[in-house]
């Protein structure tokens, strides 16, 4: 491999030493790469494509991952001086680099690169040293310097000359001076501790203006580079006559220090020169030398009479940190003579610059499930001051889930320090504060808004786990019965909720044949008319799912209670089997003429498929017997028992037709009719007919009671009266207790409007509904309690008693009338 690939200048004498130096530099670069920083070296003015280093290999990166991981290089100034070939990972020179333009006269010059690699984000710092080459020749500030020297000056007199400058560095800027051959003048060069050369022209022998009025000299400056470069200045010396003593200073060079930003008029130094001459030849005037730069003239002023140098304008350490001032002290002789000195003004730094903060490579927004240590942003800080005034530390304002991690010098990474929850805090205003070490310290701050991106970590939630819904039966198909609403704490698509029905079987049919759910609004519709007699409670489960990936969801249960309406007329039970016989029935009964008052002829049995008040039946005679005589029969209002109201006599018609009307309590009321044909017969013929009537009506009397003599009826009547009185008393006490208990429950707000009641409350409600002014009393109501509980078989039929009716010896008071 050729040496110019590494940007090095090879010489035939130093090949072995240069190879050793190259090996050492490579080892040093590898060590710096392992420690987090790479350092390369390249000469200035290197051509485009000059090899700098194998940066990908030195950073431990694979060539195949450079492009996928978005490998890129950024320099501090933003210039593309260096570039990386992503195919082979080689760092090469992209454009011309002039060390003097980049770093001026700084002893060290390097280009700082930030190498950024994404997925995951990594930051590497690379410094490329720009080595100086001898590409600048020494230059004098003027092409010609004119000097006036009196002929009276003695040999050995010194006259300052302006030296040359070389913007190169190191040995390339070390200058040597040579004066053209002259018998009158020689060159004196001295270097101070700041490596500044003071060049003076030494008078070797006395001058004779009449012999040689002017001397032309050539001052040549040669640098130490290879090859050497030179610069020259013409020195034209005019020999003057007369005044033989020039003013002189105590020192040829003065050094003073002054703080930057000193106020106008601040004294820098007061110079004092002396002249042994008398009169006007000893009067001195101070002035800046004609070679003083315009920068010095803009910032300093000298009093011609006192020699006091003061500040003019403002001094800025960051702009210029030292000034070299040439001062002349000139007497007023004829011709005047001048003495010279140099004042070196060093400007001291003050903490007058605030730190600067730069935020780059922002990875925003940040997902709320981002792992700890995720890099959010890259932060670099700087301070134009020097020393402690330029030392900067960074911190974050408290109470944010982030922290700063130092990566290199004044470079930091803003990383995630604790977990995020967008539902709690959707974003953070992160304030980075930079503080220098000056006295007093100065602060700077920069803020960045870190938005937290949502992830699907919250399932839709219903306000309740279960809702109770009441719907009247015989509803219109497609009617709206309820709306379910679920809320999702996430955002955007993660919070968009859709609803669906959880399918199951209800009575052998699919739930979706009864109800449907609108996917967006959550409105629940009944697809067909509901029948309370077929389905009392419909349990509907609705699922809510969000649109996240993966989706999350939850379910809610609707208990749909189908409320009864009076849509079923009473049904009469057929005799014997007890099965339904329809809305009208006819029966024939034989009654002995010897029957007394209270004799039970038969019992009309009926049921209603409705529930509650709609199923509460009452009975009444609709048609009176023929003949206009007072009807000797009546029917129990709630029992349906047909009995005699008085003793039968010979005047009663032998055949009587009784029409019993059965009516429920619905609105409007529905009815059914039963026709009973009663035949009055003598006592010997009544027994078989009476026995058949009792069996047909479902009576519970025994065979001996049905055939008993009428003479024992009076003794049984007394027993029945006492029994009825006792039952009424107990029933009244129980009803009163239930009323008091229901009132207490009502006042405490335990039962809400439309809510389903069970247990003792249901019993009280049934008692309130079923009690009437005529003295009837109900102990339970099967269908209403079944609706309320939603489970178990029917409890009991409604037991109706009519204590106002007298009972015969064969009374069937305990017969039941069933409601469904």
């Amino acid at each position: 491999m050729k040496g110019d690939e590494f940007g090095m200048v090879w010489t035939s004498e130093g090949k072995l030493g240069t190879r050793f130096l190259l090996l050492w530099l490579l080892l040093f670069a590898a060590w710096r790469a392992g420690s987090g920083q790479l350092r390369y070296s390249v000469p200035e003015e290197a051509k485009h494509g000059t090899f700098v280093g194998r940066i990908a290999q030195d950073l431990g990166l694979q060539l195949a991952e450079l492009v996928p991981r978005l490998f890129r290089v950024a320099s501090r100034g933003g210039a593309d001086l260096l570039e990386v070939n992503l195919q082979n990972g080689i760092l090469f020179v992209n454009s011309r680099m002039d060390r003097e333009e980049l770093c001026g006269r700084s002893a060290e010059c390097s280009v700082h690169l930030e190498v950024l690699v994404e997925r995951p984000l990594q930051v590497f710092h690379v410094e490329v040293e720009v080595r100086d080459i001898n590409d600048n020749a020494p230059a004098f500030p003027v092409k010609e310097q004119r000097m006036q020297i009196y002929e009276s000056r003695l040999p050995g007199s010194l006259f300052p000359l302006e030296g040359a400058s070389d913007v190169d560095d190191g040995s390339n800027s070390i200058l040597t001076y040579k004066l053209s051959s002259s018998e009158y003048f020689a060159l004196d060069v001295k270097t101070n501790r700041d490596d500044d050369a003071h060049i003076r022209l030494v008078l070797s022998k006395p001058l004779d203006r009449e012999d040689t009025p002017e001397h032309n000299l050539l001052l040549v400056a040669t640098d130490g580079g290879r090859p050497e470069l030179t610069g020259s200045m013409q020195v034209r010396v005019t020999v003057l006559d007369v005044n033989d003593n020039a003013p002189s200073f105590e020192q040829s060079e003065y050094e003073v220090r002054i703080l930057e930003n000193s106020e106008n008029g601040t004294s820098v130094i007061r110079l004092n020169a002396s002249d042994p001459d008398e009169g006007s030849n000893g009067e001195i005037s101070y002035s800046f030398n004609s070679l003083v730069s315009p920068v010095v003239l803009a910032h300093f002023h000298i009093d011609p009479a006192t020699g006091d140098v003061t500040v003019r304008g403002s001094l800025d350490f960051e702009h210029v940190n030292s000034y070299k001032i040439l001062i002349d002290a000139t007497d007023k002789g004829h011709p005047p003579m001048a003495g010279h000195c140099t004042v070196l003004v060093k400007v001291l730094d003050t903490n007058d610059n605030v730190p600067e903060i730069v935020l780059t490579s922002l990875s925003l927004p940040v997902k709320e499930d981002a792992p700890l240590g995720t890099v959010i942003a890259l932060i670099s800080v700087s301070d134009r001051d020097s020393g402690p005034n330029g030392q900067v530390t960074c911190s974050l304002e408290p109470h944010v889930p982030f922290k700063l991690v130092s990566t290199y010098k004044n470079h930091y990474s803003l990383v995630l320090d604790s977990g995020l929850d967008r539902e709690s805090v959707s974003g953070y205003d992160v304030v980075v504060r930079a503080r220098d070490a000056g006295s007093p310290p100065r602060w700077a701050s920069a803020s960045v808004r870190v938005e937290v991106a949502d992830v699907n970590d919250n399932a839709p939630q219903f306000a309740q786990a279960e809702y109770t819904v009441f719907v009247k039966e015989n509803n219109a198909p497609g009617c709206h019965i309820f709306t379910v609403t679920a809320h999702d704490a996430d955002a955007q698509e993660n919070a968009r909720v859709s609803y669906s029905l959880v399918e199951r079987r209800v009575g052998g049919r699919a739930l979706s044949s009864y109800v449907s759910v609108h996917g967006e609004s959550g409105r629940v519709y009944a697809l067909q008319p509901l029948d309370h007699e077929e389905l009392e409670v419909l349990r509907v489960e609705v699922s809510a799912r969000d649109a996240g990936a993966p989706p999350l969801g939850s379910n809610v249960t609707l208990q749909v209670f189908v409320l009864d309406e009076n849509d079923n007329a009473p049904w009469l039970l057929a005799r014997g089997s007890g099965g339904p016989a329809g809305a009208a029935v006819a029966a024939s009964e034989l009654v002995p003429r010897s029957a007394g008052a209270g004799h039970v002829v038969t019992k009309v049995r009926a049921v209603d498929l409705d529930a509650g008040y709609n199923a509460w039946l009452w009975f009444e005679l609709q048609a009176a017997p023929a003949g206009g005589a007072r009807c000797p029969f009546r029917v129990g209002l709630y029992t349906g028992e047909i009995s005699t109201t008085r003793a039968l006599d010979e005047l009663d018609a032998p055949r009587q037709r009784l029409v019993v009307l059965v009516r429920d309590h619905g609105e409007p009321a529905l009815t059914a009719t039963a026709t009973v044909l009663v035949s009055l017969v003598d006592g010997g013929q009544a027994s078989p007919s009476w026995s058949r009537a009792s069996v047909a009506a479902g009576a519970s009397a025994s065979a001996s009671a049905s055939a008993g003599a009428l003479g024992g009826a009076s003794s049984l009547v007394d027993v029945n009266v006492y029994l009825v009185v006792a039952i009424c008393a107990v029933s009244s006490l129980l009803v009163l207790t239930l009323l008091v208990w229901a009132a207490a429950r009502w006042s405490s707000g335990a039962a809400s409007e439309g809510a389903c009641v069970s247990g003792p409350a249901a019993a009280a409600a049934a008692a309130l509904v079923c009690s009437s002014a005529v003295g009837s009393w109900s102990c339970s109501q099967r269908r209403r309690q079944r609706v309320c509980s939603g489970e178990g078989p029917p409890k009991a039929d409604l037991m109706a008693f009519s204590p106002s009716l007298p009972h015969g010896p064969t009374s069937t008071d305990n017969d039941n009338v069933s409601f469904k």
Side-chain angles (χ1 to χ4, degrees), residues 417-498:
D417 189 41
S418 61
L420 301 176
D421 185 7
R422 189 206 64 83
E423 289 70 43
S424 300
V425 181
S426 61
Y428 297 87
D429 291 316
V430 180
V431 179
V432 181
R433 295 180 64 87
R435 177 182 183 271
D436 62 26
S439 181
R442 305 199 70 170
W443 299 80
S445 62
S447 62
V448 58
R449 177 69 177 178
V450 179
E451 296 290 344
V452 181
D454 182 60
V455 297
N456 193 25
D457 57 348
N458 289 279
Q461 296 294 327
F462 293 94
Q464 299 177 211
E466 182 176 303
Y467 292 91
T468 300
V469 182
F470 295 95
V471 180
K472 288 186 177 181
E473 65 174 334
N474 302 321
N475 55 280
C479 73
H480 170 244
I481 61 175
F482 196 72
T483 300
V484 294
T485 303
H487 298 279
D488 196 311
D490 293 322
Q492 298 178 350
E493 289 298 311
N494 296 331
R496 186 166 59 87
V497 180
S498 60

Side-chain angles (χ1 to χ4, degrees), residues 160-420:
L161 295 175
E162 185 67 15
S165 61
D166 194 332
V167 295
D168 291 327
D169 184 54
S171 62
N172 297 327
S173 64
I174 299 176
L175 304 179
T176 58
Y177 296 88
K178 184 179 180 180
L179 188 67
S180 60
S181 177
S182 172
E183 62 176 325
Y184 291 97
F185 297 96
L187 197 62
D188 177 63
V189 180
K190 290 185 178 180
T191 304
N192 62 9
R193 55 188 175 184
D194 290 334
D195 294 329
D196 287 335
H198 294 276
I199 308 169
R200 293 178 290 185
L201 195 64
V202 182
L203 183 62
S204 301
K205 59 183 293 186
L207 299 174
D208 187 1
R209 189 193 62 82
E210 289 74 16
D211 182 38
T212 308
E214 188 175 270
H215 297 267
N216 291 320
L217 306 174
L218 183 64
L219 181 62
V220 178
T222 304
D223 62 23
R226 292 290 185 275
E228 298 178 344
L229 298 178
T230 61
S232 63
M233 179 181 68
Q234 190 74 30
V235 179
R236 194 177 300 276
V237 181
T238 302
V239 182
L240 302 178
D241 202 9
V242 186
N243 200 0
D244 59 344
N245 287 294
S248 63
F249 292 92
E250 296 177 355
Q251 300 175 216
S252 62
E253 181 176 320
Y254 297 87
E255 182 177 319
V256 294
R257 300 173 184 272
I258 187 171
L259 292 174
E260 66 173 331
N261 298 328
S262 296
E263 297 181 357
N264 288 343
T266 302
S267 177
V268 178
I269 189 175
R270 182 182 288 269
L271 299 172
N272 185 23
S274 60
D275 193 329
D277 295 333
E278 293 181 352
S280 61
N281 292 331
E283 295 178 7
I284 300 174
S285 176
Y286 299 91
S287 64
F288 291 133
N289 190 276
S290 60
L291 299 177
V292 170
S293 66
V295 176
V296 173
L297 296 177
H299 290 85
F300 298 95
H301 173 264
I302 187 169
D303 190 302
T306 62
D308 189 15
V309 181
T310 57
V311 175
R312 171 192 291 175
S314 60
L315 302 179
D316 188 359
F317 172 86
E318 288 72 32
H319 186 257
V320 180
N321 57 14
S322 65
Y323 297 88
K324 185 178 180 180
I325 307 175
L326 300 178
I327 298 178
D328 295 338
T330 307
D331 63 21
K332 297 182 180 180
H334 295 284
M337 299 186 70
H340 311 278
C341 76
T342 300
V343 177
L344 183 60
V345 180
K346 293 190 174 181
V347 182
L348 301 180
D349 181 56
T350 60
N351 194 21
D352 60 337
N353 289 284
V354 297
E356 297 178 358
I357 304 174
V358 179
L359 298 173
T360 58
S361 299
L362 300 179
S363 300
L364 299 176
V366 182
K367 288 189 176 182
E368 63 178 328
D369 62 347
L372 301 184
T374 299
V375 178
I376 309 302
L378 300 180
I379 302 171
S380 61
V381 295
S382 61
D383 197 313
R384 296 177 59 198
D385 294 323
S386 62
N389 297 330
Q391 296 175 2
V392 183
T393 57
C394 277
S395 63
L396 291 178
E397 286 196 351
H399 311 302
V400 293
F402 308 99
K403 68 178 180 179
L404 291 176
V405 177
S406 177
T407 56
Y408 170 75
K409 290 183 179 179
N410 289 333
H411 296 266
Y412 300 86
S413 294
L414 179 66
V415 301
L416 183 62
D417 189 41
S418 61
L420 301 176

Side-chain angles (χ1 to χ4, degrees), residues 511-522:
L511 179 62
S512 57
S513 64
Y514 289 95
V515 294
S516 66
V517 179
H518 191 271
E520 295 181 0
S521 65

Side-chain angles (χ1 to χ4, degrees), residues 56-116:
Q57 178 180 350
D58 295 338
L59 292 177
L61 300 175
Q62 299 296 329
L63 296 180
E65 63 180 358
L66 296 184
V67 174
R69 294 187 63 186
L70 302 179
F71 180 96
R72 63 187 185 276
V73 176
S75 63
R76 182 181 296 275
D80 52 346
L81 301 177
L82 299 166
E83 189 57 60
V84 176
N85 188 331
L86 298 182
Q87 302 300 322
N88 54 24
I90 293 177
L91 179 67
F92 63 91
V93 175
N94 188 42
S95 60
R96 172 182 172 271
M97 290 185 292
D98 189 341
R99 186 183 185 278
E100 288 70 36
E101 290 181 2
L102 292 175
C103 305
R105 297 300 301 274
S106 176
E108 295 182 0
C109 183
S110 62
V111 177
H112 179 76
L113 303 177
E114 287 184 351
V115 179
L116 306 177

